[in-house]
Amino acid sequence: MKKVGEKVRKVSRRVVVTGIGVIAPNGMGKERFLEAIVNGRSGIKKITRFDTTAYPSRIAGEVDDFEPTDYMDKKDARRRSRCTQLAMAAARMAMNDSGINLTHVEHERMGIVLGFGTNGMEIIESQHQIFLSHGLKKVSPFGMISVLLNTPTGEIAIEFGISGPSNTLSTGCSSAVNAVGNAFNLIRWGAADIVVTGGAEAPITPLTLTGFCAARSLSCQNEHPEEASRPFDVRRDGLIMGEGAGIIILEEMNHALIRKADIYAELLGYSSTTNATSLMMPDASGTSRALKSAMKDAEVTPESIDYYSAHAVSTTADVVEINAIKQTFGEYAYHMPVSSIKSMIGQPFCAAGAIQTTSCVLAVKHDVIPPTINHCEPGPGCEGIDFVPNVARKQVINKAILNSYGYGGNNACLVMGSFCGSQTMS
């Protein structure tokens, strides 16, 4: 008999990744993206979407080869925000990649959890100008619906008939990692068998750029955009805005094995903490708590981690993450490979954690660590760490951990590993 106050541990089901969809500044689709990060190719370039002459920062990670009508009809594309377009396209890629036959699944056992920070900034800005110039009657009746944070989640749920749990999270740049963590929990605790998860962001607009320039948080290395993002490097001078989407399909292991799915990796643990100290600046102790908690959840030791996927975005705050790594891993911090793909894609805000998650899954699947490009000399406090500088590294990755920060002091961490479980449906 259960004693008073005794906690009952839920039976945890195993959760695997069976589909990937990614749209990044340096590559669209999993094959092109993997090729780009393995070869250290930057997607940072001069902004082409509007005139940036008056801005101190004139570079960003634009996705310049995305055609929405390749993934949706023209009418839907016209009324959807760019953020929704990117999310929908990545979701379609991931569903196609997973091989799930939607006529053979229980739609009530399918869920969707996505993370966003903004949605439809280009619509908000354009509709505001229309209102100022022409008045209320010229404003689009679809405007407000298009820019709600949960609109992309709802659109994708409708598209694929997802009628199980549906959630939209917004915790700053950690939104998508928290979304994946919550999706992981839905499956392992039995509320769903399949969950579409990840996030998207499309913030490259005049007003957004104006705001971040005013905050002096952006890099001004405009002459050589591909070299501007340099996490942990002594010459880093600010983050670079970006856009994109990353969607993965999570599936209960036996469900995936029954249909003979191709399994990329297994999720092992998740944690989220709040610093409660500063809205903007990360805190090493809060990050360390999240890292330790995620590894405890995964039931792995710090020394078993083969790769650390860093949040680092090429700002002075990068050193805070290094301090957290040292607090968490001790002496092993100086032997563990650490890299940041933000050196290649910039910081696509809430899409950053989503794209980072797809890169980490691909790293585990293919046993390759993407490099931290543009890394020449570590900044003060970053010395002694193996940043996998400039060249990718072939290495067996049995377990990896990724970290993501969010505005408001949020930390989100995931632990994943290569799939080596039983191939029988126990």
Side-chain angles (χ1 to χ4, degrees):
M1 180 180 295
K2 183 174 75 72
K3 297 178 181 178
V4 176
E6 181 182 353
K7 292 183 178 180
V8 177
R9 182 175 176 84
K10 294 181 179 179
V11 176
S12 179
R13 306 191 305 167
R14 294 174 66 179
V15 182
V16 296
V17 180
T18 59
I20 293 176
V22 59
I23 300 173
N26 62 344
M28 189 164 66
K30 66 173 185 179
E31 291 85 4
R32 290 175 61 189
F33 176 63
L34 177 61
E35 187 270 334
I37 61 173
V38 167
N39 288 285
R41 186 168 66 245
S42 173
I44 310 302
K45 56 185 77 71
K46 292 185 178 180
I47 294 172
T48 61
R49 231 164 271 165
F50 52 91
D51 183 11
T52 61
T53 304
Y55 294 86
S57 179
R58 300 185 290 277
I59 57 178
E62 290 184 338
V63 176
D64 56 12
D65 55 354
F66 175 63
E67 176 48 61
T69 54
D70 289 343
Y71 305 94
M72 63 202 79
D73 65 44
K74 188 179 293 186
K75 181 179 178 182
D76 287 336
R78 190 182 303 117
R79 66 178 176 78
R80 288 170 176 163
S81 69
R82 184 170 177 83
C83 178
T84 300
Q85 291 172 352
L86 292 168
M88 178 64 75
R92 189 173 295 283
M93 289 179 187
M95 288 296 291
N96 289 343
D97 186 49
S98 73
I100 292 171
N101 186 334
L102 291 173
T103 63
H104 295 160
V105 299
E106 296 181 61
H107 289 252
E108 295 82 1
R109 298 288 299 168
M110 290 181 67
I112 180 167
V113 187
L114 300 179
F116 304 99
T118 63
N119 175 30
M121 286 300 297
E122 76 285 0
I123 295 175
I124 292 170
E125 292 180 32
S126 65
Q127 290 299 306
H128 183 237
Q129 287 300 318
I130 289 171
F131 171 70
L132 292 178
S133 301
H134 304 289
L136 178 62
K137 291 185 178 179
K138 294 295 183 179
V139 172
S140 169
F142 299 107
M144 281 308 301
I145 296 173
S146 299
V147 303
L148 296 175
L149 277 186
N150 64 321
T151 292
T153 306
E155 293 268 21
I156 294 169
I158 293 168
E159 182 72 19
F160 298 108
I162 300 169
S163 53
S166 173
N167 291 291
T168 301
L169 302 180
S170 187
T171 58
C173 295
S174 61
S175 298
V177 176
N178 278 317
V180 174
N182 278 262
F184 172 48
N185 286 340
L186 285 176
I187 295 175
R188 63 173 169 169
W189 303 137
D193 297 323
I194 301 169
V195 182
V196 178
T197 186
E201 196 90 83
I204 306 173
T205 68
L207 182 60
T208 311
L209 183 62
T210 298
F212 280 93
C213 283
R216 299 182 180 180
S217 55
L218 300 181
S219 171
C220 295
Q221 298 183 37
N222 298 308
E223 295 307 310
H224 301 284
E226 68 283 355
E227 299 175 7
S229 185
R230 42 182 64 249
F232 307 116
D233 192 84
V234 69
R235 292 183 294 167
R236 66 192 188 278
D237 72 329
L239 62 86
I240 292 94
M241 289 173 59
E243 63 177 354
I247 301 290
I248 60 174
I249 307 300
L250 296 186
E251 198 166 347
E252 192 274 325
M253 181 190 70
N254 284 333
H255 192 281
L257 291 175
I258 288 170
R259 65 180 191 85
K260 297 180 173 59
D262 182 21
I263 293 174
Y264 288 94
E266 181 176 3
L267 287 193
L268 302 173
Y270 160 68
S271 178
S272 179
T273 64
T274 303
N275 300 328
T277 53
S278 168
L279 288 175
M280 298 295 293
M281 183 61 69
D283 176 79
S285 62
T287 302
S288 180
R289 283 191 295 112
L291 290 167
K292 290 175 180 177
S293 183
M295 288 187 286
K296 181 178 180 181
D297 185 43
E299 298 181 343
V300 302
T301 63
E303 293 76 19
S304 70
I305 299 297
D306 300 303
Y307 169 50
Y308 178 105
S309 177
H311 172 87
V313 295
S314 191
T315 67
T316 56
D318 290 357
V319 71
V320 178
E321 187 166 14
I322 294 301
N323 291 337
I325 290 172
K326 291 176 180 178
Q327 287 181 25
T328 305
F329 293 92
E331 181 61 29
Y332 184 61
Y334 299 95
H335 305 282
M336 178 179 62
V338 175
S339 75
S340 173
I341 66 163
K342 312 294 176 56
S343 58
M344 295 177 265
I345 67 170
Q347 174 66 342
F349 300 135
C350 291
I355 298 171
Q356 185 183 351
T357 299
T358 64
S359 76
C360 205
V361 169
L362 290 168
V364 169
K365 176 69 173 178
H366 296 281
D367 286 324
V368 61
I369 299 176
T372 306
I373 68 169
N374 303 321
H375 188 80
C376 299
E377 180 184 352
C382 299
E383 302 90 349
I385 302 298
D386 177 7
F387 292 120
V388 194
N390 303 306
V391 179
R393 182 180 303 164
K394 286 294 291 182
Q395 177 180 310
V396 173
I397 305 174
N398 291 316
K399 295 180 181 67
I401 192 167
L402 69 87
N403 172 56
S404 184
Y405 294 139
Y407 175 79
N410 182 260
N411 309 285
C413 299
L414 290 171
V415 178
M416 63 183 70
S418 57
F419 179 70
C420 55
S422 171
Q423 297 298 308
T424 62
M425 282 63 77
S426 58

